[in-house]
Amino acid sequence: MGRWHDLFLLATEPYRNYGSFSGRARQRDYFLFIAFQWLVIVCIAILHRVLTGGARLPDPEQGLHGSLPDQLAVAATLLFILASIVPWLAVSTRRLHDRGYRGWIMVRWFLPYVGLLFMLWDLLRAGDRGPNAFGPDPRGVNFDDWFE
């Protein structure tokens, strides 16, 4: 089809493989998924502004009080985030598998102060070259074949 269609398919792949924690995920796959999530939330906020004539989104701590567009925007955002939790955990686990780690290492992301640093370090570094214990290289390159 086209490049945009291919990017959309890559960005939404974790939703199609809902709950698939096995295998490996490239950096590109992970960050396209995160970019897609941000894009959807920004689109909800823009739609809310158009429907309300430029009003800001209500504070989520106030709950679903306010006008109907406010309630719809907050509900849509919360439903989208809830629907994205399992795919996010799955693609994050597969991203860690690409580095040779088990998914349970994500627990350290929730450590105060240093958790964000661990998360960035784990997700930004390149994955293992060639196959590892979690599967073949998702880039499709097997460096062992180069030396035969």
Side-chain angles (χ1 to χ4, degrees), residues 6 9 17 28 67 77 92-93 113 117 126 132 134 139 141:
D6 295 340
L9 289 177
N17 293 330
R28 176 195 69 190
S67 67
T77 303
S92 296
T93 299
Y113 307 110
L117 296 175
N132 68 13
F134 299 101
R139 291 176 293 269
V141 178

Side-chain angles (χ1 to χ4, degrees), residues 24-29 95 97-100 124-132 135-143 146:
R24 296 167 62 176
R26 297 173 65 172
Q27 288 171 314
R28 176 195 69 190
D29 302 337
R95 179 72 199 114
H97 286 174
D98 193 38
R99 302 260 338 275
L124 292 176
R125 285 199 38 218
D128 294 344
R129 295 275 187 193
N132 68 13
D137 191 342
R139 291 176 293 269
V141 178
N142 188 355
F143 289 97
W146 287 11

Side-chain angles (χ1 to χ4, degrees), residues 40-146:
V40 168
I41 291 172
V42 166
C43 286
I44 291 171
I46 289 171
L47 184 61
H48 175 265
R49 281 202 173 215
V50 167
L51 291 175
T52 60
R56 298 179 70 159
L57 281 172
D59 185 4
E61 292 179 4
Q62 295 177 357
L64 294 175
H65 302 293
S67 67
L68 181 63
D70 290 348
Q71 294 173 359
L72 289 175
V74 170
T77 303
L78 289 175
L79 286 173
F80 178 72
I81 290 170
L82 286 173
S84 299
I85 289 174
V86 172
W88 173 76
L89 287 171
V91 76
S92 296
T93 299
R94 290 195 312 270
R95 179 72 199 114
L96 290 171
H97 286 174
D98 193 38
R99 302 260 338 275
Y101 296 133
R102 296 203 168 276
W104 290 106
I105 204 166
M106 272 191 282
V107 172
R108 70 183 182 169
W109 291 357
F110 299 105
L111 293 173
Y113 307 110
V114 296
L116 178 65
L117 296 175
F118 280 130
M119 181 179 77
L120 290 174
W121 179 257
D122 291 338
L123 297 174
L124 292 176
R125 285 199 38 218
D128 294 344
R129 295 275 187 193
N132 68 13
F134 299 101
D137 191 342
R139 291 176 293 269
V141 178
N142 188 355
F143 289 97
D144 295 335
D145 294 342
W146 287 11

